[in-house]
Amino acid sequence: MQPAASIVRATGGYGASFSGDRQSPAFDGTWIVKWASPAGMPDAMALETDVVQRLEATPNAAVIRPKRGIPADEWQRRWQSDTAVAYLTPNQIVRSHAKPSDPYVSFQEYLGLIGAEAAWELNVDLTPVKVAIVDTGIDYDHPELKDAVDEGINLVQPGKPAKDDNGHGTNVAGIIAAVRNNKGIAGLANHVRLLPVKALDRTGNGKEAQLGEGIRYAVEQGAKVIVLSVGLMKDDPFIREAVEYAESRDCVLVAATGNEEGPYVNYPAAYPTVLAVGGIKLDGSVEPRSNYGPEVDLVAPWNVYTTKPGGRYEYKDGTSMAAPQVAAAAALVRGRQPGLKAYEVRSLLKQTAQDIADPGWDERTGYGIVRIDRALTEPVLRDPAEPNNNRLSASPFPVHSFVSGEWMPGDEDWFWFEAPESGMLDIKLHAISGEEKLAVTGFLGPNDSQEGPYHLSSVQPVLTLSVPKGRSYLRVTGGNRHLLYRISSELRMAPDEFESNNRPYTAYTLPERSQVLTGTFHTADDQDWFLFQPSKRGSLRVQIAPSSKRMDPILTLIQPNKTPKDIDEGGLGKPEVLPAIEVSPGVAYYIGVRNYDPFAPVGTYKLQVDYVPAANDPHEPNDKSYQATAISFGAAYEGIIDETEDEDWFAFHVEHDSLLDIAVTGGGNDQTYKLALFDSNVNERDQTSGAGGGTGIQWTARVNQPGTYYLRITSDRKNLFRSYNLTVNQTKLVEGFLDIDGHWAEKQMVSSVRSGWMTGYDGYAFKPDRYITRAEIAASLGRALKLSAGGDAVAFADVPAEHWAYGAIQALAARGWLQGYADGTFAPERPVTRAEMAVLVGRVLRIPVKNIGPASSPFKDVPVGHWAQPMLRQMYAGGWIDGYDNGTFRPNDNATRAEWAVMLTGMFKRG
């Protein structure tokens, strides 16, 4: 194991360049001086130097140190070179052979960090001290502990021994008192008697009653130090009284801050008279899992190697392991100086701590790492805050802490504090010499708002300042005589802006909108009530979020004709949510907020009130057909289904056979809408349904008779806040088709359909400009001519008997009107060209093409010799066909269905 001096490194060596760095456990900050003449210390040196001890056996020599507030480096350099000084050398600790030889001491890496080894080497005389461990008990039979453990008490199972059935208490006990006997590990304080107080069960949990009783029991049994490696988040009055009782009996309480990784020092560590101990890493850096805040006093290593039940050992960590190191330090101080009061022990441990973070006190490490060696060698300062004579040199006075001071006439003591929240700061006087008064003046917040001076005395021991969040300053002065004083501070929350609203009948009325409010629990029994009374129907959702883990809020809702409802599911530091409820106009809804435990935690809560008024339905009332809202095609209409029984009716008029495209979009995603279509006699014709939200319902319905029609919309559930959108578009149908209205061949297509010769496609489409196939021409011609297959069947490889146009194809092929191809196929889906269409019609009409005179062609693109030229010439001459304006026929273009309808109807009109 490395020497302690090398674990926490000094900034320089010894001799002329030695700086007196307080970080070395081998140097306690004092110096040996020998003056050059019997005259002794020069007056100038006396102004900035304290004499610790006069060395009677050495003429003109003494042990000295710089006064508090004097920079040690500058002091050392100035007087080391002064002609009045023969020599000035560090009063380094001389090490004996007292270092323990326990075999596992090398695992106890924390010992050097807290100056334990240096303290042991002092070989000081110590009077026995009783240390109580309020925990899970202690293993009475552990070889390291059995000779140091008293009987104690079991508060979990009264009447049984306080034996450890968890291990935590034994861990704590080993850190303090494991015997240094060349076996196992080395405890910090072998002069103590351990008093086990079992207040926690085998799971490491306990009740507040046992914790409070355990503290009182330990005090009554004569414990001078009590270690509490336990904690809870709330300021319990029962525990507070036990802590105050311990203070009144001059007992030092030491407690762990907790391991929740946040600014929430556990109770009882958070009480001003308890030493609150956080954790650091073995390299001296901050342990982020250790709780922090204004209550932190000291830190100690988080990781330890210690005793375990069953005569064993183990590594443990947490602030529970840091607290017993400070408790052992307190026991050593009490053993060395039995006459010190509890507050003086606390003050000495803080003033001798090794500062490791921000200079002075800070909320992460308090006053620094406990240093046992310094605590055993340095005196208690009457006024450890000095020099603090002005604002620039102000000393820390964290909220929820104690400070001691000494006042001289003409002196001023300045302190600063950081308030974590705006609130009321109670400053309490605990002791003052004589009947003097203290005058306290506050300089508060960034604007230095001055409050006071106010006077503290034994008659009026408490004053209260209203302080803002952040840094403020206090100035303390006295009267005409020298005096000593001790004061503490505690922050409590101020009443919030909504007070007084402690009962439903004094509830604060909320405006009719969504909002976020910030509130406080400023007294132990504080309840905050709010009234929400909407003028419109809507939805109300409430959530409360605490700012501190010390707060466990409960939400309460009171509404007419219902049992009040409490929402308490989240626990400490967790939000509570009242799910959205429907609220009615004119109805009073009372929202209550309180803390689960009847105490006033420091912190605020955010109350979020979300109010969403119901969407407006401009068409109500339209719940019946005779109340139906008249709509126009193509326009958009909004609606709300605000009850499951609600029906929305709409009406529209059609003049002719039409296709209606009905769309219902929006609404709630969890809603299913049902649409029903009625005729003018309110007889249901058709219906559909679908989910709301997104694209919703897209429905196509046909109405083939002129008249008034009705649309009814219903839903399986209501939704007050999301309206649906309705549009109805109309498309005129001609003979049941969408795409022939206004077409140049409309008349012929209508005729061919009515005659039953031609049909359309799905979706109300005739597709007049689509090419017509050989199968379609065969089928329509077969219907028009009422042909049957007859005769011998003509075999086509691609027209099986089950083909939909088989009969017609056979009939036309048998008559020679349509032929197949050389490969034995018919190609039923092949488009028919204009030339093929004309030739087919000519064949059906038996138009002759032989002996018709000289060869000629009426069309520029059908030359003589074209295979269809003879028939096209005859068809043209007979008025059956016509070409285009440019004199062409386009014989190879695909014939359209519209062109075929014209040819087909023309055949029978003239035939």
Side-chain angles (χ1 to χ4, degrees), residues 743-766:
H743 195 278
W744 65 270
E746 175 185 350
K747 180 179 178 181
Q748 291 85 349
M749 288 185 284
V750 169
S751 177
S752 65
V753 171
R754 286 181 179 174
S755 299
W757 304 337
M758 295 184 72
T759 59
Y761 298 90
D762 291 341
Y764 305 95
F766 186 83

Side-chain angles (χ1 to χ4, degrees), residues 615-624 627-632 635-640 646-650 713 723-726:
N616 183 43
D617 190 339
H619 308 299
E620 291 287 356
N622 63 340
D623 301 323
K624 304 293 181 182
Q627 297 174 317
T629 299
I631 64 174
S632 300
Y637 297 85
E638 272 189 66
I640 291 288
D646 188 19
E647 297 182 356
D648 288 353
W649 286 78
F650 299 91
I713 301 177
S723 59
Y724 64 81
N725 294 293
L726 168 68

Side-chain angles (χ1 to χ4, degrees), residues 1 103-110 185 304-305 315:
M1 183 172 183
Y104 297 154
V105 75
S106 60
F107 299 153
Q108 296 176 267
E109 299 176 71
Y110 60 93
I185 64 169
V304 301
Y305 189 73
Y315 285 103

Side-chain angles (χ1 to χ4, degrees), residues 253-257 265-266 268-271 274-278 295-299:
L253 296 186
V254 181
T257 61
V265 172
N266 287 178
Y271 293 120
V274 179
L275 277 172
V277 184
E295 302 90 349
V296 176
D297 294 308
L298 296 165
V299 290

Side-chain angles (χ1 to χ4, degrees), residues 534-599:
S535 62
K536 298 178 181 178
R537 192 178 183 188
S539 167
L540 179 67
R541 178 185 179 274
V542 182
Q543 173 174 309
I544 184 171
S547 68
S548 169
K549 285 186 178 179
R550 290 173 175 168
M551 195 180 295
D552 183 5
I554 298 176
L555 275 176
T556 301
L557 176 68
I558 298 178
Q559 51 185 322
N561 304 317
K562 291 188 177 181
T563 303
K565 182 178 182 179
D566 283 346
I567 309 295
D568 182 22
E569 300 174 355
L572 285 166
K574 302 293 184 181
E576 301 289 353
V577 179
L578 172 67
I581 62 168
E582 183 179 329
V583 293
S584 301
V587 176
Y589 298 88
Y590 291 91
I591 303 164
V593 178
R594 69 183 190 276
N595 198 42
Y596 176 81
D597 292 302
F599 83 103

Side-chain angles (χ1 to χ4, degrees), residues 835 838-843 846-859 861-881 889 891:
V839 169
L840 172 61
V841 172
R843 290 173 182 167
R846 295 184 175 86
I847 295 176
V849 294
K850 295 182 180 179
N851 303 317
I852 57 174
S856 63
S857 176
F859 306 111
D861 54 352
V862 184
V864 174
H866 188 280
W867 71 270
Q869 180 268 335
M871 181 63 77
L872 294 180
R873 173 185 172 188
Q874 293 300 96
M875 293 284 287
Y876 179 79
W880 292 100
I881 63 173
F889 185 75

Side-chain angles (χ1 to χ4, degrees), residues 425-478:
L425 187 72
D426 294 327
I427 301 174
K428 183 177 182 180
L429 178 67
H430 291 265
I432 191 169
S433 58
E435 297 298 323
E436 296 292 334
K437 295 180 179 180
L438 282 183
V440 179
T441 305
F443 299 87
L444 309 177
N447 298 323
D448 273 351
S449 175
Q450 183 171 337
E451 294 287 337
Y454 302 107
H455 290 92
L456 286 174
S457 67
S458 57
V459 177
Q460 188 175 357
V462 180
L463 70 86
T464 300
L465 297 176
S466 177
V467 299
K469 183 177 181 179
R471 178 163 292 199
S472 295
Y473 291 84
L474 298 176
R475 183 183 64 200
V476 178
T477 57

